[in-house]
Structures are given as C-alpha cells and as structure tokens.
C-alpha cells in the first residue's frame, strides 16, 4: 500500500507541474498550485512511511516521473477544461483505490497513522475532483474518451506499481 500510494502521489505532483508549465492564467495557476501543494504534502507523508516501514519504492518511479509530467502538459495543451478533466479522472480512480485500501485496513487496523494518512489523502483527492468539476472539467472536448483513457492508464499504473 505504501509503495503504490507513494508512487501515485509522486505522479500527481508531476501532473500538476506539467499543467502549471502550460496554463498561465492566474486563477488556474492559483488553483493548481494549491492542489499541487496538497499532493506534495501527501508525497512527503508517504516518503516518510516508506523509510519508516522499509518499503522499496516502485522500480517504475522514473517512468511515473516523466509520464506524470507529460500527462499534465498534454492535457493542459488541450485546454484548461481538459486539464481539469484529467484531475477528475485521476481523482476518481484514486478515490476508489484509497477506499479499497481503507476497507481492508479498517477490518484489521481500525486506527493508526497509515489509515489516518489514507483517509486524509482521500478527502483531499475528492476535494480536488470537486474543484475540477466546478472549473468546467466535464466540458472538455472529448471528455468521455479522455477520462476513460486517463482512468485506464491510472489503473494500470497502480497495478504495475504494486508489482514492480
């Protein structure tokens, strides 16, 4: 759990970095910076947990570093709505992913730092999705295709990060 969550939070920071490199509107930059700061906070928590629990990071970390940034740039180049559609898609997958983890953990360990961290991160991710919806993410050209592709890629990244 810690490995895949750390990888996902790293990828999220890279997506926002890519989007901020393209989108220059002050309102969008302020929104993206706020979400990026929260993702960086999540990443720092999982980086610490990786060390504390002696968990090996995914071998795919360099791939997610580049792929996350590329996804952020690509969606922002498609327009601000597509950038927010990306956030909606990623956060919906992460919400499901974190909820699955919480369901497992709550059976065995109803409290503790890991479960509290996952709950906090999940709440933030849901909030990011809500912001992206408010910003018109569902109005992106090709929304259904774009979000389906991003969700599939996100699920594949989770699957691979669990194993490698």
């Amino acid at each position: 759990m810690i490995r895949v969550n750390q990888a996902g939070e790293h990828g999220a920071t890279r997506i926002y970095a890519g989007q901020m490199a393209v989108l220059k509107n002050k309102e969008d930059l302020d929104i993206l910076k706020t979400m990026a700061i929260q993702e960086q906070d999540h990443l720092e928590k999982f980086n610490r947990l990786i060390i504390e629990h002696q968990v090996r990071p995914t071998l795919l970390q360099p791939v997610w570093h580049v792929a996350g940034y590329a996804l952020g740039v690509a969606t922002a180049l498609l327009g601000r709505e597509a950038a927010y559609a990306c956030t909606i898609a990623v956060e919906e997958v992460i919400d499901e992913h974190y909820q699955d983890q919480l369901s497992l953990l709550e059976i065995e360990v109803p409290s503790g730092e890991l479960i509290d961290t996952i709950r906090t991160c999940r709440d933030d991710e849901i909030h990011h999705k809500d912001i992206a919806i408010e910003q018109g993410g569902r109005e992106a050209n090709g929304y259904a295709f774009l979000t389906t592709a991003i969700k599939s890629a996100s699920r594949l990244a989770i699957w691979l990060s669990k194993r490698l």
Side-chain angles (χ1 to χ4, degrees):
M1 286 184 187
I2 295 170
R3 174 187 301 125
V4 71
N5 293 355
Q6 189 270 349
E9 297 298 346
H10 178 74
T13 65
R14 300 299 295 152
I15 291 169
Y16 287 122
Q19 290 175 339
M20 289 186 292
V22 174
L23 296 175
K24 299 299 182 185
N25 172 295
K26 181 173 175 12
E27 179 186 1
D28 291 327
L29 282 174
D30 289 346
I31 291 168
L32 295 171
K33 282 180 186 176
T34 298
M35 292 191 290
I37 289 167
Q38 290 176 328
E39 299 294 0
Q40 183 62 42
D41 181 55
H42 300 170
L43 177 58
E44 289 170 8
K45 289 176 183 176
F46 283 111
N47 283 341
R48 188 176 44 74
L49 289 169
I50 274 201
I51 293 167
E52 285 179 15
H53 294 274
Q54 299 178 351
V55 174
R56 176 188 52 78
T58 178
L59 297 173
L60 298 170
Q61 192 83 2
V63 174
W64 303 152
H65 185 81
V66 174
Y69 190 82
L71 179 60
V73 167
T75 55
L77 287 172
L78 292 172
R80 68 182 299 278
E81 291 85 5
Y84 288 116
C86 176
T87 297
I88 293 167
V90 169
E91 301 301 20
E92 284 180 357
V93 171
I94 298 308
D95 175 20
E96 293 168 7
H97 170 71
Y98 279 154
Q99 185 54 54
D100 289 346
Q101 288 183 341
L102 290 170
S103 295
L104 288 171
L105 286 171
E106 288 170 345
I107 293 169
E108 298 196 21
V109 186
S111 65
E113 183 181 13
L114 179 58
I115 200 165
D116 291 343
T117 298
I118 293 171
R119 279 185 186 129
T120 299
C121 291
R122 180 175 177 258
D123 290 345
D124 288 345
E125 308 305 1
I126 292 168
H127 183 64
H128 296 170
K129 179 187 77 170
D130 293 342
I131 290 169
I133 291 168
E134 290 171 13
Q135 292 302 312
R138 289 186 173 153
E139 306 306 315
N141 289 330
Y143 176 80
F145 174 78
L146 182 63
T147 56
T148 298
I150 293 169
K151 286 179 181 184
S152 295
S154 297
R155 288 184 181 109
L156 178 60
I158 290 169
W159 187 85
L160 290 169
S161 293
K162 287 179 182 178
R163 287 154 179 81
L164 300 174

